[in-house]
Amino acid sequence: MTDLEFVRADPSHPAWRSPLARALAHAPAGVRDVSAEAQDGPLGLAAGIAGLEIEAPFARTLLARLTELEPPAVGAFAHIRAQMTVAGDDRYRIWFPQEYADYLAHAVLDAWQGLA
Amino acid sequence: MRLPPQANETIDRSHRLTFTFEGQPIEAYEGDTVASALFAAGRRIFSRSFKYHRPRGLLCCSGRCPNCLLEVDGVPNVRACMQPATANARVRAQNVVGSLDSDLMSFLVRVGSPFLPVGFYYRTMIRPRWAWPYFERFLRHAAGLGRLDEHARRTQRYDVEHRRADVLVIGGGDGGTHAAAEARARGEEVVVVDERGRGDVRGTAIGIYEGGLVPVAADKVLYRYRAGRIVVAAGAGEQPLVFPGNDLVGVYLPEAIRRLVGDWALKPGERAVVVGQAPTELEQAGVEIIRVADQSQQIAARGRFGKLRNVIIDGEAVACDLLVVDGGRQPAFALLAQAGATVEYDAARGIFVPRSLPEGIHAAGNVTGEGCFAPPIVSAPSGGKEKSFVCLCEDVTTKDVKRAIAEGFDSIELIKRYTTVTMGPCQGRLCQLSSIRLCAAETGLDEAAIGTTTARPPWRPVELGLLAGRPHEPTKRTAIHHRHKEAGATIMWTGAWRRPHSYGDPAAEVRAVHERVGVIDVSTLGKLLVSGPDAASFLERLYPNRFADLRPGRIRYGVLGNDAGRIMDDGTIARLSEDSWYVTTTSTGADSVLEWCTWWNAVWQMDVRIESLTGALAALNVAGPRSRDLLARLTDLDLSNESFAYLDAKRAEVADLPCLLLRIGFVGELGYELHCPSPYGEHLWDRILEAGADLGCTPFGLEPQRVLRLEKMHILVGQDTDSESNAIDAGMPWLVKLEKDDFVGRWSLERIAAEGGRERLVGFVMENGSVPLEGGQVVVDGRSVGRITSARWSNAVGAAIGMAWVPAELATEDVQLDIRRDRTLERARVRLQPFYDPEGKRLRS
């Protein structure tokens, strides 16, 4: 085993669990878990990153209720450091430290509820 | 009663609605405000004043004065003249005992008012001191602006939204509209914010903050605007005149007449006296204008039960029920002043005007002073019974201001603080000019020399809920968190983490670790990978102990010190290979240690790479005499003591998952820390509990962990140490290698080693078996000489044990200590060796 092998996780491994699985279990269709697609990046290694996709006509407004930044950007999102990417029209992805999965999912779903 | 339809009325007579006021139904039209509907229903008294509980009626009808503050649907201090009437709203009076028309407090305050001069609370009611709580309760009850239910929970949703624009125009009047049109013609993205909805956003700009941030309160959303340029077109505000009886119900500013008649088709009165120019709406409404006076004439108003009865003009009494006073118009410069503009007095026009606007800030329309003029103050006839109010919000009279000046508070900023003039809901819109003029008259200075008070946000009243926004509290949870909840764990805060305190029976969990095997989620530990050719030298410089001599595959405990040698953090450092080190930190110290390492690496410019693995890795500690048996069921790794000794680190597959295994023993038993990718953490947890079921494997939480580590006298940084603690005094001199090259904090530790520390961290056993309070005092000869940092009952030791900082001379085995509990002293004995397994045989077994 190499130095960093114990830090690599394979989403296709049967032991792999998404940190957002429970938090988004009853989420609307426009809020999706994309943690399996996480890559090593400015927030650290993929194993430590959760990803959440928001798609809705009001997706940009929803983001504006949680961040001052204009995606794509890296910075504060709902008071935590996150990476925001544009995935398409009215479709954005938020990448963030997996330990905040429940918290951030709650913040996004709460903002969704305020707009939907 | 409504007037016939008016040309530009804002009410929709085809849509009716009903709300309640003090439980009584009130009919309204769509487009009415709460105030206009109440006025149509015959109400004239809308509030009671802040201090004297005087009846107050509509004055400005433009959201600037405090006279119509009511409670709407439980929200206090709602400006009724701006609040749209909505069906089923519940409207109530505030700051009254009884009713608006008959407020008991007004009678009490009238009797007591001679004893309540300006600033009375600075010099009366302060003795006897024991009586202050009673005075305070009375004052809080008597004065104020509505009541908040301190037990209420969030009843309304408030959101915060960030927005951007090239140009933000504040104010949708002529000046703002013109400025917006010009900017749009240049192709700029423009947003016009206006309180009355004459723009793109109906809302109120409550301030201009650093960096051009403009929060806009728009119903239940606070928009945080950032714009390339900000155009302030806030207009100008009508000014009241200061004369006896100027607060009587029936005294109006011209704008109020325009809105009452023009917008809501309401007749403001029957017989009017006008000071200044009469609004055309009076005639339009069929009001009889009895007299038109000029602002230089002496005016006094007389009333009965707080309502206007007649006006005395130059000594001649004129009966009327309506007095319209036009005190001129003062530019609403507050937002510009907040943004950094200077404000100067224009003596020719009697107004303050903004000058020297900062870059990116512009002014348009009346706010520049265009079309504004304010006639001089009216000298009031003396000897009248009625008070002359400078500030309606705070019930500050001319007498109050004069008294403050006579007492030496003769600058406008001191007058503001002593009398609270300009500090009420109007924020000086109606009282700043008057108070400055009165100050000028009393001090002999001119208005330019006196200047204005500092303009601060919020410029308009704003709901606290809007400022609070949504309740977001960033919270960390490990990948295994939900398993803990499913297992019935009690969850507690540790820093930003939510962690299991225990799973129901901490003592049983401790016993399981001592006798069988337990597993605890330690994913919260900070984890760093320090790698590169200079990694060993880097750690040598950073830590007081040696690392260069550590063989790959071995672990060493390290205490991280700051420049002054004080303990910052602790953890284990495993050498994975020649150039690769795995460093763990405390859970709460993860971020600060990462910053610390990164900072020193930048200073020393060494060939070292530092990566945080904290979130990427889950970590479990499997501990207890059966832990080896348990792990042997999940891995092919040779776990024998010979092959995998205490303080060894190995990488291997456990439960078919890639793991780093660290054989360490924070809880004092044979134990292994398993670090694996976070997404596998839950699976690994499940497999360990399954595999260990027949061995009695039990999850254990933080509370049992704290007992277990205390039995071993293992310190908790932050619990047993503070910002003054160093490794030598904390009982770890073996860790400080002064013979090696320079390291962070060396100078300080050298001095401590040479001079001997004043305090030592020691263990103690209570003689009477009672557990003392953490933070309790260690006493010698009646003096407090030390403090307890940790204390618990230990079944394994059969005693109440703890750790404490004591004077160095007391740090001797079996020395007696006295520990204070309330007013009694309890006896304890010093222990310098771990309470449990002092030789560490169990760790190494």
Side-chain angles (χ1 to χ4, degrees), chain B residues 301-527:
Chain B
R302 298 279 185 270
R304 190 149 186 256
F305 302 122
K307 293 182 180 173
L308 180 70
R309 296 293 294 269
N310 56 56
V311 177
I312 299 164
I313 305 170
D314 288 339
E316 181 191 350
V318 179
C320 62
D321 63 354
L322 178 60
L323 171 60
V324 184
V325 291
D326 179 5
R329 284 156 61 79
Q330 162 65 51
F333 59 77
L335 289 174
L336 292 166
Q338 286 174 22
T342 56
V343 178
E344 294 174 3
Y345 187 64
D346 181 338
R349 294 186 286 170
I351 56 172
F352 284 88
V353 290
R355 303 263 190 243
S356 310
L357 302 182
E359 194 180 340
I361 304 290
H362 307 268
N366 294 146
V367 75
T368 61
E370 171 190 307
C372 294
F373 169 75
I377 195 165
V378 174
S379 57
S382 58
K385 280 170 59 183
E386 294 286 358
K387 295 175 190 289
S388 299
F389 285 92
V390 179
C391 172
L392 293 171
C393 298
E394 302 281 297
D395 266 354
V396 180
T397 64
T398 52
K399 190 176 167 185
D400 292 330
V401 175
K402 289 175 181 175
R403 182 167 179 160
I405 293 169
E407 289 183 22
F409 300 98
D410 54 0
S411 84
I412 195 65
E413 289 286 5
L414 288 177
I415 291 169
K416 170 182 170 178
R417 282 155 181 76
Y418 192 60
T419 67
T420 68
V421 67
T422 76
M423 288 170 68
C426 94
Q427 286 291 285
R429 283 178 188 76
L430 301 178
C431 55
Q432 186 165 59
L433 188 60
S434 304
S435 58
I436 291 167
R437 284 175 164 175
L438 184 55
C439 181
E442 285 297 302
T443 60
L445 297 170
D446 63 21
E447 287 86 345
I450 288 168
T452 60
T453 54
T454 305
R456 294 187 178 89
W459 185 48
R460 292 257 166 145
V462 57
E463 290 178 55
L464 291 174
L466 262 186
L467 297 181
R470 299 299 295 156
H472 293 147
E473 186 173 17
T475 309
K476 297 182 183 181
R477 294 176 177 86
T478 72
I480 309 161
H481 180 82
H482 293 279
R483 285 288 188 257
H484 306 318
K485 288 186 72 176
E486 288 158 12
T490 306
I491 306 293
M492 63 183 279
W493 285 101
T494 54
W497 290 97
R498 300 286 284 154
R499 300 188 67 184
H501 168 274
S502 66
Y503 298 81
D505 187 348
E509 292 164 31
V510 170
R511 196 163 54 247
V513 175
H514 279 319
E515 297 173 3
R516 304 186 304 274
V517 56
V519 56
I520 181 171
D521 178 5
V522 290
S523 305
T524 58
L525 289 172
K527 308 169 202 85

Side-chain angles (χ1 to χ4, degrees), chain A:
Chain A
M1 196 182 291
T2 61
D3 275 3
L4 279 177
E5 196 174 335
F6 71 97
V7 194
R8 298 289 173 201
D10 176 2
S12 64
H13 193 291
W16 192 89
R17 304 273 189 279
S18 166
L20 285 163
R22 286 182 179 82
L24 297 184
H26 304 291
V31 183
R32 293 184 282 271
D33 180 2
V34 292
S35 301
E37 297 174 46
Q39 306 283 326
D40 293 354
L43 300 175
L45 300 174
I49 297 169
L52 181 150
E53 183 173 274
I54 302 161
E55 183 173 18
F58 51 77
R60 183 66 195 88
T61 305
L62 189 152
L63 258 58
R65 292 196 170 183
L66 295 170
T67 182
E68 191 170 4
L69 301 173
E70 196 80 35
V74 176
F77 183 89
H79 308 297
I80 64 169
R81 187 170 151 80
Q83 182 179 16
M84 290 151 265
T85 57
V86 181
D89 290 343
D90 296 328
R91 195 153 66 94
Y92 301 91
R93 288 184 171 188
I94 317 299
W95 307 98
F96 55 94
Q98 59 83 23
E99 58 267 31
Y100 289 111
D102 282 9
Y103 159 73
L104 202 94
H106 180 267
V108 167
L109 294 175
D110 175 68
W112 181 285
Q113 197 175 27
L115 290 163

Side-chain angles (χ1 to χ4, degrees), chain B residues 807-839:
Chain B
E809 60 269 22
L810 295 181
T812 305
E813 187 72 21
D814 215 35
V815 157
Q816 178 186 312
L817 300 175
D818 285 332
I819 288 171
R820 193 192 301 278
R821 178 191 290 277
D822 298 327
R823 294 184 179 180
T824 63
L825 295 179
E826 295 178 347
R827 190 161 293 173
R829 297 278 175 184
V830 169
R831 292 286 179 267
L832 300 180
Q833 295 298 312
F835 305 102
Y836 180 80
D837 185 27
E839 292 85 27

Side-chain angles (χ1 to χ4, degrees), chain B residues 208-222:
Chain B
I208 297 180
Y209 290 78
E210 271 183 73
L213 171 67
V214 181
V216 175
D219 196 18
K220 302 302 176 195
V221 181
L222 185 78

